[in-house]
Structure formats: structure tokens, C-alpha cells
Amino acid sequence: MRRTIFTFIVLCFVTLTLQAQDVWTAAGSSSVFGSHWNEKDTSNDLTDKGNGIWELTKTGCILEQNVKNEFKVLKNHSWDESYPKANYVFAVEETGTYSVTIQFNANNFEINVKTTKTGDAVIGEKTWTVAGSLEILGKKWDQTATENDMIKQDDNVTYILTKTNLTLAQGIYQYKICANHGWAENYGDDNDPEGNASIVITKAGTYDVTFTFNLTTKEVSATAVPSVTDGISQLPASIKTKKVIFNLQGQRISTPKQGVYIINGKKTVLK
């Protein structure tokens, strides 16, 4: 009888110990993990390799050259404890299909990533959309808003979106530029804690805001110019076309006629 009770107690202790064991999960870019920053996705749980080392391998990941892939490793499917403090970022030097192995040391919280190319892959042309402040974009941080899709310019590198006649208060307005109406690939300002780019309005008024994205360098920028005509430069229609000229719809113009244009970031009336 005593042996039976002792065995029962031992079994209960072992069961409770197993139940109390921590679980480590990776959450981040959907290009690697399938789901997008989903801390509850058990398919991204790491395997305990012993001595505090945990590991996860994802196969068939289609990764694009020099595109940032980001993730964190979190404890027990909760963001209460996650590493590193800033997202872990890695990229590959060649577009292709990859096997990605993540190793996490629970003793010192260090992370290592190994990528192995397993095949070729072709990345199709992407749609680039601006998502951010409601006051400028009409929808609050909506990456699916097709009305905020950018227009590809003749150089096949530059993308432009212009929003006109916006009534803006003094303040800071944030945004990002994302690919294919999702957050898996997005660009802003790496110096911002959340990676957002910003437009600073120093005086309340009505503005035309133009967003620019360079596909090659991944550079993001935006300019805000007053919508009113007071103080706008008056230039002849024979202006040199070497200047960078856009219409108010954000389309690049090579031979402007009479009208209002944004030339080198400044609103200008051509007569």
C-alpha cells in the first residue's frame, strides 16, 4: 500500500513537472513562419535539444535577396517575455527557396540563424501600398487599402503616391510602405522604435502629401506642400525637364504643360 501511494506521488510530481516546462516559440515574418507574428502558432514551437538549447527548422521558405526577415523568440506563447528586445533580423544574398534553422539558448537568450538554399525561386512584381495615419491616408494603418497603392514610374524603380487637399493639424504623422497588401515585407525608418517613417507638419493647414519609394534602395520618403496657391513659384512652361516632375496624382511627367505640378518636392504652377 505504501509503495502504491509513493508511486502515485512520484507520477503526480513528474506530471506536474512536465506540465510546468516552458515552451519557446518563434513568431515573425510570414515568409519564414507561415503565420504573421502569431505567438499562438504551435507549428513554430522550438524543440528542446537539452542543456537549454532550443531549435526550429522551417523548410520551403521563399526568401528574396536583401529583404529583411524578422522574428522574436517568446516564452509560453506570450509576449510577456520575448527575445531579443529589438527584432532579430536576417537576410539572404540570393533569391531562392531556403531551409531556415533557428537556434535559441535559453541560458543566455542568444539566437543564431542558419540559412541553406535548397532551390531556386522567382519573385513576381509586387504591389506597394502606403499604410499609416488616418488623417493622410483615409484609413488607419490599413495595408489592404487599394486606394493607397503607389504608382510605378517610367524608370521602373520609383513608386509614387500623392494625396491632395488634406486638412492637417500640427503634429507628426507616421506611415510605412508595405508589399502585396501585407505586413510580411514593409519599409519605414529603422531609427524609429517601431520602424515607422514620419511626416512632420509644423503649421496647421491644407497640404498635398507625396510619398516616394525606391525599389532598389528601399528608401522611403514623403513631402508635404501647402495646397493653397499663395507663395507658389511661377515658372514658364518651357521648364527644363531634367527636374523631377510629378502631377498631383503622383505620376511622373516628362513634358509638363500648363497646370500645377510638384517639381523637386515643391508645388509649382506652370503657365
Side-chain angles (χ1 to χ4, degrees):
M1 183 63 179
R2 290 181 178 177
R3 179 175 295 179
T4 301
I5 294 173
F6 176 77
T7 302
F8 176 75
I9 292 173
V10 171
L11 287 174
C12 289
F13 176 78
V14 171
T15 301
L16 291 172
T17 301
L18 290 174
Q19 289 177 343
Q21 186 179 34
D22 292 328
V23 175
W24 293 98
T25 304
S29 303
S30 58
S31 53
V32 178
F33 302 103
S35 57
H36 183 68
W37 291 96
N38 183 0
E39 76 279 12
K40 303 295 185 183
D41 191 344
T42 57
S43 66
N44 294 320
D45 287 353
L46 281 68
T47 300
D48 185 0
K49 310 299 285 187
N51 297 320
I53 305 300
W54 296 72
E55 194 172 274
L56 171 68
T57 297
K58 304 295 289 187
T59 59
C61 303
I62 298 177
L63 305 181
E64 187 176 355
Q65 177 185 13
N66 297 330
V67 171
K68 294 188 299 182
N69 302 285
E70 302 182 66
F71 71 93
K72 286 186 176 184
V73 175
L74 52 112
K75 186 176 181 179
N76 296 332
H77 297 131
S78 169
W79 291 113
D80 291 343
E81 184 177 349
S82 62
Y83 303 95
K85 184 176 181 180
N87 296 339
Y88 189 98
V89 179
F90 72 94
V92 295
E93 296 180 354
E94 183 181 5
T95 297
T97 303
Y98 285 81
S99 171
V100 179
T101 297
I102 297 166
Q103 191 176 83
F104 174 68
N105 189 328
N107 299 308
N108 56 19
F109 311 119
E110 289 185 354
I111 296 173
N112 290 298
V113 172
K114 179 182 178 182
T115 58
T116 303
K117 187 178 179 183
T118 58
D120 295 327
V122 176
I123 305 295
E125 185 172 346
K126 299 175 182 178
T127 299
W128 296 99
T129 305
V130 186
S133 299
L134 171 69
E135 296 84 352
I136 294 180
L137 295 161
K139 293 183 178 179
K140 185 177 181 180
W141 291 98
D142 186 355
Q143 77 280 12
T144 67
T146 56
E147 63 267 36
N148 294 325
D149 288 350
M150 307 184 82
I151 299 171
K152 183 168 70 171
Q153 305 303 301
D154 293 340
D155 61 5
N156 291 320
V157 171
T158 307
Y159 285 74
I160 296 289
L161 172 69
T162 297
K163 309 296 282 188
T164 60
N165 297 317
L166 303 172
T167 301
L168 301 177
Q170 179 181 346
I172 299 175
Y173 300 86
Q174 295 186 312
Y175 69 95
K176 282 184 175 180
I177 294 174
C178 55
N180 296 333
H181 297 133
W183 290 115
E185 182 183 355
N186 64 82
Y187 299 94
D189 184 354
D190 290 337
N191 294 319
D192 181 81
E194 296 182 351
N196 298 327
S198 297
I199 302 168
V200 180
I201 301 297
T202 58
K203 182 180 179 181
T206 304
Y207 290 88
D208 297 337
V209 177
T210 298
F211 300 92
T212 305
F213 175 64
N214 186 299
L215 182 61
T216 301
T217 64
K218 304 300 189 292
E219 181 181 2
V220 171
S221 63
T223 58
V225 296
S227 297
V228 296
T229 57
D230 294 345
I232 294 178
S233 302
Q234 307 292 324
L235 298 179
S238 60
I239 185 172
K240 298 293 184 180
T241 57
K242 290 182 180 179
K243 294 181 180 292
V244 180
I245 306 172
F246 299 99
N247 62 22
L248 295 183
Q249 287 70 50
Q251 298 168 314
R252 189 163 185 172
I253 305 298
S254 58
T255 55
K257 300 178 181 179
Q258 291 182 343
V260 181
Y261 297 89
I262 296 175
I263 301 177
N264 292 342
K266 296 181 179 180
K267 194 171 184 182
T268 305
V269 174
L270 300 183
K271 292 186 175 181

